[in-house]
Each structure stands twice: as C-alpha cells, then as structure tokens.
Amino acid sequence: MMKTRVSRQMQSGNEVWITVVMGVIGFLMCKLQMPKTPMIITLILDAILSMWKKGVKDIPCVLICLFAFAVSAFTKFSPILLVILCAFVGIGVRTFLTAKKGGAGK
C-alpha cells in the first residue's frame, strides 16, 4: 500500500513539473515570437496518454477508441455527439458483457 501512495505522489509531482516546464517554454516561445505548435501537440499527447492509462482497459474499449478516432478524423460528425454516442455504446457493451457472464447480482 505504501508503494502505491508514493508512486501516486511522484506521478502527480512529475505532472506538476511538466506543466511548469511547458509554461516556461510557452512564455519563452511567445517572447521570441515562435510558433507554439510543438508545445500544444505535447500537451495533447500527455492528456491522451494519461486518459488512455486510466480508461482503456480491454478490447471493447480499444475498439470504441478506434471508432471514435476514425469518425472524428475522417468525417465532419460533431465531436460532442460522438462523445455522447461512444458513452452510450460503452455502457451498452458493458451491460451486455455483464449480463452474458451471469449478471452482477447473481
């Protein structure tokens, strides 16, 4: 248990340092009038990786993520509706898999 607490504290400490470093880099890039695209891409990738570690745990989740990426990348479908649709699909898949295994109440 102690290792889990320490690793969580270290992880959040690392996230703070990444945020501080990215803020300083952004400030310097603004002062030097450089494009901020690499910094933005890095922040987006950091957010994606942290959400991926917490949310994608099995094959149906991977398929839903791939579907959402394909729809958002190659169509003009509304991202808000896509998130809502994927949430309902995820709830439906989880309910189906739970019922197939015998239900949570049994």
Side-chain angles (χ1 to χ4, degrees):
M1 246 195 202
M2 187 57 126
K3 289 183 180 180
T4 306
R5 289 181 183 167
V6 171
S7 65
R8 285 184 186 165
Q9 289 173 351
M10 289 176 64
Q11 181 182 10
S12 59
N14 289 339
E15 290 173 1
V16 169
W17 280 110
I18 289 172
T19 305
V20 169
V21 169
M22 295 305 284
V24 170
I25 291 171
F27 175 76
L28 293 174
M29 291 176 88
C30 186
K31 286 292 184 183
L32 298 173
Q33 297 180 349
M34 296 175 65
K36 296 178 200 77
T37 306
M39 185 178 70
I40 293 170
I41 291 172
T42 305
L43 288 173
I44 290 171
L45 287 176
D46 182 49
I48 289 171
L49 290 175
S50 67
M51 286 190 292
W52 183 273
K53 289 177 187 176
K54 294 175 186 173
V56 180
K57 298 182 189 264
D58 54 3
I59 300 294
C61 291
V62 172
L63 295 175
I64 291 171
C65 288
L66 291 175
F67 169 76
F69 172 75
V71 170
S72 67
F74 303 116
T75 67
K76 295 185 184 235
F77 195 76
S78 169
I80 296 170
L81 293 177
L82 183 63
V83 169
I84 293 170
L85 175 69
C86 288
F88 283 126
V89 169
I91 292 169
V93 167
R94 186 64 57 207
T95 303
F96 174 75
L97 292 176
T98 303
K100 188 176 178 181
K101 288 182 180 179
K106 292 183 179 180

